[in-house]
Amino acid sequence: MDLIPAPATHAEDPSRTPFVLGTGTALAAAPGTEGVARWLRATVGPALGRDLPPGPAGADGTVTLRIDPSLPPEGYRLTVAAAVEILGGSAAGVFWGAQTFRQLLGPAAYRRACADPGASRAVPRQVVEDAPRFGWRGVLLDVARHFAPKDDVLRFLDLLAAHKLNVLHLHLTDDQGWRVEIRRHPRLTEAGSWRARTKRGHRASELWDETPHGGHYTRDDIREIVAYAAERHIRVVPEIDIPGHSQAAIAAYPELGNTDVIDTAALTVWDTWGVNPNVLAPTETTLRFYEGVLEEVLDLFPAATSPFVHLGGDECPTGQWTASPAARARAEELGLAGAHELQGWFIRHFGRWLAERGRRLIGWDEILDGGLPPGAAVSSWRGYAGGIAAAEAGHDVVMCPEQHVYLDHRQDPGADEPVPIGYVRTLEDVYRFEPVPPGLSPAAAAHVIGAQANVWTEVMESRSRVDYQVFPRLAAFAEVAWSTRLPADPAARDFADFTRRMTTHYARLDALGVDYRPPGGPLPRQRRPGVVGRPIEGAPPNV
């Protein structure tokens, strides 16, 4: 068995005649599974040279899709016999079962057109039953630092779906660029989506790319991305950063900044990396501005597919507020102990604002410092500690500690790794990541709703660089987030078996055109000699 993620149960009977996906194989879609049928016909059909016309459910030689409410919502049962039946607890479960069936059909099923129409498409008789461990199996894609064209995002969604991942956290705004069209504030994209140049490598590097960099998604682009994701049973979580990581917005609308301590009209979209001191001013003008932004964001990301809105809340220096008479006066007016408490005030305000509109706030673990509004969730990135504190307090948590699942971190200690950032996190290290830390009470553990791998793109200037940093490690992460077969003790996990299964999976990635890191190290074209990174030596702390 070479399935990734590893399913809960799998029984194969190679002694009997296999199922053959022939040119006459039909596809029967019961009510509720029409979207999965469209995906099979549009994706797997062309790859294998099969039309998959409609046919009678359950007939020999037919692939039947059906919802069985007795199964878990994202669970499925795939039976391959004289016919193929894919049952799911919901349309999502049927879709994940179809992804497993695609794996059984071989790497050729991952191509865009049929390279060998005469090849046999035989699948041994077997039964696969499966359901995910976590409901949130996410990946953050940072399109603010380096913009990803819309087609790259759609391709990325296909790659998530192929690994049974179901959340795309889209990091849309930061100091280095604003990527979503907001009609009532057009300068956010007219001015805020472009920077004059870009630091190449870590911020300590002396190299620059003098080419202006930018781009944004139109409203229709966003609607297309959300619809494309929904067809693949992936939720898109938009992130609009406040009150830090906001220089692009301030560059577009200087009144959003602390004008009494800095000439905000002189600011431009930031061209380097790190923590930026220019933060939003705690004014009614700023609140109304971002309420208007979020009204449009909620319209673009419907509640049915995007119940969460991420507001950042991380890495917000308070120096400007402390120096600002207006900010200090606002803090006193609000009854806060000092200007340093304004960050929590921002988050609480918009947490209530979102809740009134039926949405849930999620933010980075710094939002714990100011006290969380009811229903808010936490992305625990600085380690496990923030997630543990939030879960014990009854808040939902997505575990994404940078020491384990930041995929911008280097994959090997070798000198050939391109732009080495952070700790070494090998394929095996990611495979041994455990989202639920030991010692968490059962009630708190139930609040760990999932895990997420984060793809920060400061040193990923192209789709190829994203591919290299993300793959093959995303396959290991996907198994961690999905499979109920993995032991809770990371040391007990069978990495040798995973490595064996990856041999087949590399062929799937090849067919998909993924520019992954080969097991033997980077190819010459994947290296970036002379580009300074920020490697951190030793094992990462478990904090």
Side-chain angles (χ1 to χ4, degrees):
M1 178 193 71
D2 293 331
L3 298 175
I4 290 178
T9 66
H10 177 252
E12 186 174 319
D13 183 3
S15 66
R16 302 181 64 190
T17 304
F19 174 86
V20 176
L21 191 77
T23 55
T25 298
L27 178 60
T33 69
E34 296 86 357
V36 183
R38 281 195 300 272
W39 177 83
L40 280 166
R41 290 192 177 104
T43 305
V44 177
L48 301 179
R50 305 293 188 259
D51 293 332
L52 302 177
D60 285 358
T62 297
V63 177
T64 298
L65 311 177
R66 187 162 58 84
I67 292 175
D68 181 351
S70 69
L71 295 171
E74 288 191 278
Y76 67 87
R77 182 184 303 116
L78 166 61
T79 304
V80 181
V84 171
E85 183 179 57
I86 306 175
L87 305 180
S90 66
V94 177
F95 183 71
W96 304 131
Q99 290 288 353
T100 297
F101 183 54
R102 185 190 194 186
Q103 289 196 23
L104 296 176
L105 288 165
Y110 290 81
R111 297 194 176 276
R112 293 193 180 185
C114 185
D116 186 2
S120 174
R121 311 300 181 192
V123 180
R125 295 193 179 213
Q126 58 198 290
V127 177
V128 183
E129 293 195 52
D130 206 6
R133 179 185 180 191
F134 292 110
W136 184 302
R137 306 180 301 280
V139 181
L140 175 145
L141 180 62
D142 171 18
V143 296
R145 272 53 177 269
H146 276 102
F147 178 65
K150 180 196 68 178
D151 283 354
D152 285 1
V153 177
L154 300 181
R155 172 182 179 266
F156 198 73
L157 285 164
D158 281 329
L159 293 173
L160 298 192
H163 293 83
K164 298 187 174 74
L165 296 166
N166 70 343
V167 175
L168 174 63
H169 174 168
L170 204 54
H171 184 73
L172 289 165
T173 74
D174 215 295
D175 301 304
Q176 295 85 3
W178 185 285
R179 305 297 178 212
V180 56
E181 177 188 11
I182 303 297
R183 282 179 174 168
R184 71 189 71 185
H185 302 304
R187 283 188 55 78
L188 286 171
T189 48
E190 291 171 359
S193 69
W194 288 93
R195 58 179 181 264
R197 63 176 186 168
T198 300
K199 175 69 73 171
R200 190 159 179 255
H202 183 254
R203 60 183 176 272
S205 168
E206 296 182 356
L207 299 176
W208 292 90
D209 182 343
E210 298 292 344
T211 305
H213 179 86
H216 73 275
Y217 308 110
T218 67
R219 291 170 59 85
D220 284 344
D221 289 339
I222 292 292
R223 293 189 193 280
E224 181 183 358
I225 288 168
V226 170
Y228 195 86
E231 186 87 349
R232 287 147 185 80
H233 301 278
I234 296 172
R235 290 176 287 158
V236 183
V237 176
E239 180 176 353
I240 306 295
D241 257 312
I242 62 167
H245 288 286
S246 298
Q247 182 161 319
I250 297 169
Y253 292 93
E255 65 272 20
L256 296 175
N258 295 282
T259 57
D260 56 346
V261 295
I262 187 173
D263 180 9
T264 57
L267 293 177
T268 60
V269 178
W270 210 27
D271 56 13
T272 190
W273 320 122
V275 178
N276 188 300
N278 296 303
V279 302
L280 298 175
T283 64
E284 290 298 316
T285 295
T286 301
L287 295 183
R288 299 294 88 75
F289 183 96
Y290 274 87
E291 287 170 359
V293 167
L294 289 172
E295 283 177 3
E296 295 196 29
V297 168
L298 297 190
D299 178 57
L300 294 172
F301 296 87
T305 53
S306 302
F308 287 91
V309 175
H310 206 292
L311 294 184
D314 63 315
E315 297 180 326
C316 182
T318 58
Q320 288 186 359
W321 292 336
T322 301
S324 164
R328 294 197 307 272
R330 188 63 191 272
E332 183 176 357
E333 173 192 334
L334 295 167
L336 304 178
H340 64 281
E341 292 193 352
L342 286 167
Q343 178 177 354
W345 168 77
F346 265 106
I347 296 301
R348 290 192 300 274
H349 172 86
F350 284 104
R352 292 190 298 269
W353 189 93
L354 288 170
E356 289 167 359
R357 289 153 181 82
R359 304 297 182 95
R360 293 183 64 186
L361 160 72
I362 185 168
W364 302 111
D365 54 57
E366 286 97 327
I367 68 174
L368 286 163
D369 299 340
L372 293 186
V378 169
S379 301
S380 189
W381 78 273
R382 290 180 293 180
Y384 287 108
I388 291 171
E392 293 287 7
H395 291 279
D396 288 342
V397 173
V398 176
M399 285 293 187
C400 50
E402 64 170 329
Q403 302 86 355
H404 301 277
V405 286
Y406 267 35
L407 299 186
D408 54 319
H409 285 202
R410 57 193 172 133
Q411 303 180 64
D412 187 271
D416 287 337
E417 287 303 304
V419 201
I421 298 295
Y423 297 102
V424 173
R425 293 288 84 192
T426 65
L427 181 67
E428 181 172 0
D429 289 330
V430 174
Y431 192 66
R432 299 195 189 282
F433 164 59
E434 172 48 43
V436 181
L440 205 60
S441 70
H447 282 290
V448 179
I449 60 175
Q452 184 167 289
N454 291 342
V455 183
W456 300 105
T457 62
E458 287 94 335
V459 298
M460 298 183 219
E461 74 285 353
S462 65
R463 186 177 85 177
S464 178
R465 280 287 292 126
V466 171
D467 278 4
Y468 180 91
Q469 291 298 134
V470 171
F471 294 98
R473 292 184 294 181
L474 196 69
F477 172 80
E479 184 146 311
V480 168
W482 174 280
S483 182
T484 57
R485 289 183 53 185
L486 290 185
D489 177 5
R493 294 176 184 171
D494 190 348
F495 182 68
D497 178 68
F498 177 77
T499 302
R500 178 191 64 77
R501 288 181 282 125
M502 277 301 299
T503 301
T504 298
H505 201 65
Y506 284 120
R508 298 180 190 125
L509 296 178
D510 286 331
L512 285 164
V514 177
D515 200 10
Y516 59 84
R517 182 189 189 275
L523 302 172
R525 61 178 171 74
Q526 294 172 321
R527 299 167 189 162
R528 296 292 187 276
V531 181
V532 174
R534 186 182 63 92
I536 305 175
E537 303 304 331
N542 195 25
V543 293

